[in-house]
Amino acid sequence: LVKIMAGGDRAGLEQREAFLLGARRIIGLRHRSIANVLEAARWGGIPYLVVERVRGLSLERILEAGPLPPERAVPLARLAAEAVRVLHAAGIAHGDLVPANVMVEDDGNPVLVDVGLGLPANVPGSGEGYAVGQGQAGDSAAAAEASLDLRPFLLADLRDLGRLLAQCLTGEAPRDAAA
């Protein structure tokens, strides 16, 4: 499956580079519940990814039929949480953990897609990094990434896991609490 960066021809250089860097961090990361990114490159200056095709339906589409019974929702959320744990252990935040970005295979296994692609390109301290500690010492991009605080993004992933489970159980997206 080939994915082209949305608005890639209109995106700034910093956004295009952030998209590619985020995608390249995931190449080689293997987990049953994380879609494998096989390639990240440019064509005519526009970033694209080659991602394994996941056979199944998006959780968003499944939830159109209504809430899931707890005996289906809880194992699905547990497996998604395990995939997020693997991402976080590798210093990667998903950044957009919503039902549209969770594919459910025919056997019920959830697969996270678009990992790291939902994070902003203008993260404070770096327009380049989604992950921490992956570059060469002395590399300016690596130095910027090392100073990047991903905690807000990692915490947002955890919040979004809870929202995902709630949506599975109720069939409705949780409302944000008033400040």
Side-chain angles (χ1 to χ4, degrees):
L1 176 66
V2 177
K3 291 185 168 236
I4 299 172
M5 180 182 176
D9 57 340
R10 296 179 310 279
L13 178 62
E14 187 175 290
Q15 290 172 309
R16 292 189 306 261
E17 291 303 313
F19 178 90
L20 284 174
L21 183 62
R24 287 178 178 148
R25 296 285 182 231
I26 301 157
I27 292 175
L29 184 65
R30 298 288 182 254
H31 187 275
R32 181 168 186 242
S33 292
I34 300 171
N36 292 321
V37 175
L38 306 172
E39 180 181 358
R42 287 182 201 84
W43 183 75
I46 299 173
Y48 72 90
L49 309 176
V50 178
V51 183
E52 77 170 320
R53 183 163 188 257
V54 179
R55 299 203 185 280
L57 296 173
S58 72
L59 183 56
E60 178 179 59
R61 179 107 185 251
I62 292 168
L63 291 174
E64 288 173 1
L68 301 178
E71 57 273 9
R72 183 167 179 211
V74 172
L76 189 142
R78 184 187 59 74
L79 291 169
E82 172 59 22
V84 168
R85 186 196 64 75
V86 169
L87 289 173
H88 289 188
I92 300 168
H94 187 286
D96 194 21
L97 195 54
V98 295
N101 289 335
V102 178
M103 297 295 294
V104 180
E105 296 176 310
D106 296 335
D107 66 358
N109 183 62
V111 179
L112 307 183
V113 299
D114 292 348
V115 174
L117 303 181
L119 296 173
N122 60 348
V123 173
S126 171
E128 302 171 322
Y130 298 133
V132 177
Q134 302 290 323
Q136 297 291 326
D139 178 359
S140 62
E145 289 176 42
S147 68
L148 177 63
D149 184 5
L150 280 179
R151 285 177 294 187
F153 301 106
L154 301 177
L155 291 172
D157 280 354
L158 298 179
R159 177 205 63 213
D160 290 346
L161 276 169
R163 292 174 60 89
L164 200 67
L165 177 58
Q167 191 166 354
C168 285
L169 292 169
T170 66
E172 297 180 14
R175 293 186 187 97
D176 288 327

